[in-house]
Amino acid sequence: MNTTSASPAERDTAGSGPGRILVWDAPVRVFHWLIVLCFAGAYLTAERESWRLVHVTLGYTMAGLVVFRLLWGIVGTRYARFSNFVRGPRAVTAYLRGMLGGRTEHHTGHNPAGAVAIVALLALALAVAASGWATYEDIGGKWLEEFHEAAANIMLGVVGIHIAGVLLGSWLHRDNLIGAMITGRKTGRPENGVRSAWRSVGILMMVAVLGFWWTQWNSAPGGVANGPATVSGKAVTQDRDDD
C-alpha cells in the first residue's frame, strides 16, 4: 500500500532513491540521551546512601524529562508526535509477524513494536519517579519502597528489550539506529525529512537540566562526598562506618 508524505505511518519503499534525511529533532535526541544518563545513574546509585543526592536529583530530572517528552509528543515535529507512531495491537502484531516471516517493513520514524517499548518506558519512568519521591518523603510505607524497586527493575528489563530491538532493527534494515539517535538522520526519501532540528529547544533543555543540577548541588555545600547533604531542603544522612 502506498503512503503519502503526510501519513503518520510513512514507509520507505525500494527503488525510491532513499538517502540520509533528518528524522529525529534535537529535543528528541537530547531527551533520549539524558533519560539514558538519568536512569543509569539513578539505578547505580540506588543502594548507596552517600550518593542519595545524586540519586534523587537524577530521579527528579527523569520526571521532568518525561513531562517534556509528553508535551513534545503533541506539539513536536512529525516523527516526535505520538500520533505518528503509536498504533494498536493489530498493527504491532502484524509488524512482528512480518519480521518473523522475513518481511522487514521499514518505517521512517518509530516502528509499531518500538512504539510499544517507548510508551512502556515513559509510563515506567513516571511510576519510578513518583514512587521514588513518595518513598523519599516517607509516604506509603515499605510497600511503596518495594514497588519503587520493582518498577525500576521492570524498566531495566524493558530497556534491555528495547536495546535488543534496536540492534535487530539496525541489522535487518541495514541502518544504524543508534547512530541515527545521535545525528538525527536515517535512510529515507528526501520529501519525508523534517524541516527543522529545533536546536534552540534542545539547547534550552540542556540549560534547564544543568541549571537544576547546579541548584541541587548548591543545596549541599559539602557535595556528595563530604558531610550531610540536602535535597530540596530535606537532609540526606550519609553512611558512616561503625567503630
Side-chain angles (χ1 to χ4, degrees), residues 36-211:
V36 168
L37 173 64
C38 288
F39 178 68
Y43 195 91
L44 292 173
T45 57
E47 301 301 325
R48 293 292 303 275
E49 191 70 26
S50 58
W51 287 90
R52 180 64 62 86
L53 173 63
V54 175
H55 179 77
V56 175
T57 298
L58 292 177
Y60 287 164
T61 305
M62 188 168 68
L65 287 169
V66 172
V67 170
F68 168 82
R69 185 63 182 90
L70 293 176
L71 294 174
W72 196 247
I74 298 173
V75 303
T77 54
R78 182 189 308 175
Y79 302 108
R81 296 178 186 174
F82 297 119
S83 60
N84 178 270
F85 61 85
V86 175
R87 294 290 174 268
R90 182 176 300 178
V92 176
T93 301
Y95 180 81
L96 293 175
R97 186 181 297 117
M99 289 186 64
L100 293 175
R103 300 186 301 275
T104 56
E105 188 178 36
H106 188 197
H107 291 248
T108 302
H110 293 298
N111 62 61
V116 173
I118 291 167
V119 172
L121 287 171
L122 291 174
L124 285 166
L126 283 179
V128 169
S131 60
W133 170 82
T135 299
Y136 183 67
E137 295 294 333
D138 297 324
I139 301 173
K142 185 67 176 178
W143 74 269
L144 192 57
E145 181 179 352
E146 293 176 352
F147 173 84
H148 177 65
E149 294 177 1
N153 288 327
I154 293 172
M155 185 172 175
L156 181 63
V158 176
V159 167
I161 295 172
H162 177 60
I163 292 174
V166 168
L167 294 176
L168 178 61
S170 296
W171 178 70
L172 289 175
H173 301 302
R174 303 296 188 270
D175 200 357
N176 186 349
L177 300 182
I178 298 176
M181 195 51 72
I182 297 174
T183 66
R185 296 186 176 276
K186 290 180 63 179
T187 300
R189 296 192 298 269
E191 65 270 20
N192 289 342
V194 299
R195 296 181 179 180
S196 174
W198 287 88
R199 292 184 181 88
S200 58
V201 177
I203 292 172
L204 287 175
M205 289 174 66
M206 288 298 304
V207 170
V209 168
L210 292 176

Side-chain angles (χ1 to χ4, degrees), residues 213-228:
W213 289 353
W214 181 83
T215 300
Q216 290 290 84
W217 188 266
N218 266 2
S219 71
V224 296
N226 301 301

